[in-house]
Amino acid sequence: QVQLVESGGGLVQAGGSLRLSCAASGSPFGGARMGWFRQAPGREREFVGYITWSGGSTYYEDSVKGRFTISRDNAKNTVYLQMNSLKPEDTAVYLCAATFRAYSNYRMSRTYGYWGQGTQVTVSS
């Protein structure tokens, strides 16, 4: 069983930056692929990106490529989402998720069995 807790959200002006953290506890963390998703009011949950268990590979949704960076520190059981050049359309609740499934579509939320409660990011214009 894995418990995930996000932090680092807040209000930022367009063009600004935020770094979100996702702290994991409860089970060995190193084998999990970690994803970030976001959900805006009235919209479906959207894939943002994910990172492999080793941290050697990352994948991003097109809308955040070049602006967002995912990293992880397995010694600290923590995954990070660095968000730069933020836009108002990035406003959403950001959630981290974990999966131990292999050979899966990691862009789909149903692949992930463990979720945090989310942290609000609001970007003002």
Side-chain angles (χ1 to χ4, degrees), residues 27-34 52-54 72 74 99-102:
S27 283
F29 176 68
R33 290 170 176 83
M34 301 297 296
T52 56
W53 73 268
S54 68
R72 68 190 292 166
N74 286 343
T99 182
F100 295 92
R101 295 175 64 178

Side-chain angles (χ1 to χ4, degrees), residues 42-90:
R43 300 186 64 177
E44 292 187 356
R45 189 166 294 181
E46 177 186 28
F47 170 77
V48 174
Y50 78 89
I51 187 167
T52 56
W53 73 268
S54 68
S57 296
T58 51
Y59 302 86
Y60 301 95
E61 179 62 31
D62 287 346
S63 62
V64 307
K65 280 181 182 177
R67 300 189 298 124
F68 290 11
T69 302
I70 300 174
S71 61
R72 68 190 292 166
D73 185 340
N74 286 343
K76 296 182 178 179
N77 284 0
T78 302
V79 175
Y80 304 97
L81 177 64
Q82 176 67 44
M83 305 185 294
N84 298 328
S85 301
L86 283 161
K87 305 175 181 180
E89 52 263 43
D90 294 319

